[in-house]
Amino acid sequence: MPEALALVYELAEVAAVSAAEAVGISGTALLTVAAAADFALSAGASLALSATLNAVLAPSIPSPEAARQQVKQSIPPRQRGYGRARLSGPVALDVVNANVLYRVLQLHDGLVDGYETYYLNDDLVTVAGGVVQKMASDAYPTGFLKIETRLGEPTETAYASLVGERPEIWTNSHRGDGIASAYFRCENGKLEYFARDYPNGKPNLSIITRLSPVFD
């Protein structure tokens, strides 16, 4: 950078002298031209220095693993319905460990008839064997996000995969009896691909659900 600025200054002086000789500018006028060149050079140097300082001192963008999002909610009301509806629900668990998000949602009070289609934010996704499949846009790479559900039987079973990974926060006693629920596990890939893998940021799950069964 100093060498480049020196070259600019030298060229400015040569141009000023050449112009003076061509049109007969006086020595005083030549000094004025040189002063203007000095001013322009100083302004350019100041801008370059300012840009360098901004680049050095600007806060860096945190990695997804380092980011934290606090979830606050009051004691939620029970939601129950009939027919079909797209459900999300109160958060029973929301924990990030290293590069993995673990989340459990309480969808419905009481038994539901079944689950049909799955959404991450507003993206309709395909789930095969509990694994979200990569979209045509390359969002949600296969294997990065897994979904399990419970229908809300009077006596339910805990999510065994969650118990296996995080037994210190989720045990076999966390059954959720009588509550239809969903568990999803979301894993980050490389930071440079985060915007492609998760185009809408942290994924929020909702499911088209057949609600309370009606018996004849």
Side-chain angles (χ1 to χ4, degrees):
M1 178 65 76
E3 294 80 0
L5 291 176
L7 177 60
V8 171
Y9 180 69
E10 183 179 346
L11 291 175
E13 284 191 322
V14 170
V17 171
S18 299
E21 291 176 349
V23 298
I25 297 178
S26 66
T28 302
L30 179 59
L31 290 176
T32 302
V33 173
D38 276 335
F39 176 78
L41 183 62
S42 299
S46 298
L47 289 174
L49 179 60
S50 176
T52 302
L53 289 175
N54 287 338
V56 171
L57 300 178
S60 59
I61 299 174
S63 67
E65 293 84 358
R68 292 291 183 270
Q69 180 178 351
Q70 189 172 13
V71 176
K72 292 184 178 181
Q73 62 180 13
S74 58
I75 297 176
R78 297 187 177 193
Q79 58 180 9
R80 186 182 182 94
Y82 296 89
R84 295 171 69 253
R86 179 175 167 182
L87 295 182
S88 187
V91 176
L93 176 71
D94 190 274
V95 172
V96 176
N97 181 41
N99 66 332
V100 180
L101 165 68
Y102 304 90
R103 175 175 277 194
V104 177
L105 299 175
Q106 303 173 74
L107 301 176
H108 184 269
D109 178 29
L111 185 68
V112 297
D113 187 56
Y115 301 103
E116 296 183 357
T117 52
Y118 300 81
Y119 290 84
L120 295 176
N121 297 318
D122 284 326
D123 295 323
L124 175 63
V125 295
T126 300
V127 179
V131 178
V132 175
Q133 305 298 299
K134 182 173 68 173
M135 298 182 65
S137 63
D138 290 334
Y140 314 117
T142 301
F144 275 35
L145 201 146
K146 301 178 181 180
I147 299 174
E148 299 179 42
T149 56
R150 296 289 184 268
L151 294 175
E153 299 284 354
T155 301
E156 270 296 354
T157 56
Y159 292 105
S161 58
L162 177 55
V163 173
E165 282 194 60
R166 301 301 306 272
E168 75 281 7
I169 59 172
W170 203 263
T171 71
N172 287 320
S173 297
H174 292 82
R175 299 193 309 258
D177 294 346
I179 300 174
S181 64
Y183 158 59
F184 69 95
R185 179 187 188 279
C186 177
E187 185 172 348
N188 289 331
K190 293 183 178 180
L191 178 59
E192 58 264 35
Y193 301 129
F194 182 80
R196 181 202 66 187
D197 296 342
Y198 299 102
N200 298 304
K202 187 175 183 179
N204 294 303
L205 175 67
S206 58
I207 309 174
I208 299 292
T209 308
R210 299 190 302 274
L211 305 179
S212 303
V214 177
F215 302 98
D216 292 336

